[in-house]
């Protein structure tokens, strides 16, 4: 697993509110430096989160009418958002397509409402890639996850709560026996994780 993390920043947490047309600005506000323990505001069972998920689904549904493929779900592990690669990237590329910014801005607005840790995973199919920029699917998937992370950071999300991980071809949703199945496997998944109670570490626990 290839993991990329961004350095700390002092400004973060932007909030996107309103209709689809208001997507270009997210206000930035100072953030406390101590973010080790997410508050219960990020509880996956909170009415506030359910409201935000419903709002996100409604806004994304409007974009799906334009051909975007996005799914939003909630589980014990947290909020999960899945986007297919055609929504975000051109084939074999890790630069966000112009149309990707609209849907990622909606996602950023929801993530900004909660202090939880955000994990971004890039996934590919099993067709090999071997370019100067991407020697394998590891590098391609990691670069795509990092591109989404950087977009969120530019929109005001605190980089200290985010991580980008390249999973390559090794976590498929379907077999890679057909073009449609390979399409399902090429995706980016965004997880807003449920806070885990932190226990005091004793000397030697990490050995």
């Amino acid at each position: 697993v290839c993991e990329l993390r961004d350095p700390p920043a002092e400004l973060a947490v932007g909030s996107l509110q309103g209709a689809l047309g208001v997507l270009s600005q997210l206000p930035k506000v100072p953030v406390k430096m101590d973010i080790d323990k997410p508050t219960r505001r990020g509880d996956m069972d909170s009415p506030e989160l359910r409201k935000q998920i419903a709002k996100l689904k409604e806004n994304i549904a409007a974009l799906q009418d334009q051909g975007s493929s996005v799914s939003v779900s909630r589980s014990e592990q947290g909020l999960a958002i899945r986007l297919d690669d055609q929504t975000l990237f051109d084939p074999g590329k890790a630069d966000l397509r112009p149309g990707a910014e609209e849907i990622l801005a909606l996602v950023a607005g929801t993530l900004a409402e909660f202090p939880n840790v955000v994990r971004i995973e890039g996934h590919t199919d099993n067709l090999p890639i071997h370019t100067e920029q991407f020697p394998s699917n590891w590098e391609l998937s990691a670069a795509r996850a990092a591109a989404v992370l950087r977009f969120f950071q530019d929109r005001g999300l605190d980089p200290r709560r985010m991580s980008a991980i390249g999973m390559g071809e090794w976590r498929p949703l379907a077999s890679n026996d057909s073009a449609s199945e390979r399409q399902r496997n090429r995706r980016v998944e965004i997880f807003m994780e449920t806070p885990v109670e932190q226990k005091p570490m004793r000397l030697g626990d990490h050995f």
Side-chain angles (χ1 to χ4, degrees), residues 15-179:
S15 178
L16 173 67
Q17 302 290 342
L20 296 178
V22 186
L23 294 171
S24 59
Q25 295 183 354
L26 281 173
K28 295 184 177 182
V29 296
V31 167
K32 294 182 180 180
M33 296 303 294
D34 182 10
I35 60 168
D36 291 338
K37 296 181 179 180
T39 67
R40 294 303 295 171
R41 186 168 179 248
D43 190 342
M44 289 298 121
D45 293 323
S46 70
E48 183 179 1
L49 179 60
R50 289 196 294 270
K51 179 180 178 180
Q52 288 294 331
I53 291 176
K55 179 180 178 182
L56 177 62
K57 286 183 175 180
E58 179 181 353
N59 289 340
I60 286 178
L63 294 178
Q64 287 178 321
D65 291 339
Q66 304 173 19
S68 299
S69 178
V70 185
S71 64
V72 182
S73 61
R74 184 163 57 95
S75 68
E76 293 181 358
Q77 288 72 39
L79 172 66
I81 302 167
R82 178 179 297 154
L83 305 97
D84 70 15
D85 74 325
Q86 290 182 328
T87 299
L88 303 178
F89 306 102
D90 290 325
K93 305 293 184 181
D95 300 316
L96 290 173
R97 301 176 59 191
E101 297 182 357
E102 190 174 18
I103 198 163
L104 288 177
L106 292 173
V107 175
T110 297
L111 299 178
E113 294 294 322
F114 301 89
N116 303 56
V117 169
V118 175
R119 187 178 79 255
I120 304 161
E121 296 182 358
H123 299 262
T124 69
D125 59 25
N126 67 344
L127 295 181
I129 185 172
H130 186 70
T131 65
E132 183 176 352
Q133 186 177 10
F134 305 120
S136 74
N137 282 322
W138 286 117
E139 288 81 7
L140 176 61
S141 62
R144 287 180 165 184
V148 173
L149 184 151
R150 288 192 176 277
F151 179 88
F152 288 159
Q153 180 180 348
D154 291 344
R155 287 285 172 150
L157 291 181
D158 191 335
R160 295 170 296 174
R161 58 181 282 218
M162 296 190 290
S163 63
I165 306 171
M167 309 301 290
E169 64 200 68
W170 304 107
R171 301 286 181 87
L173 295 175
S175 70
N176 285 287
D177 296 335
S178 67

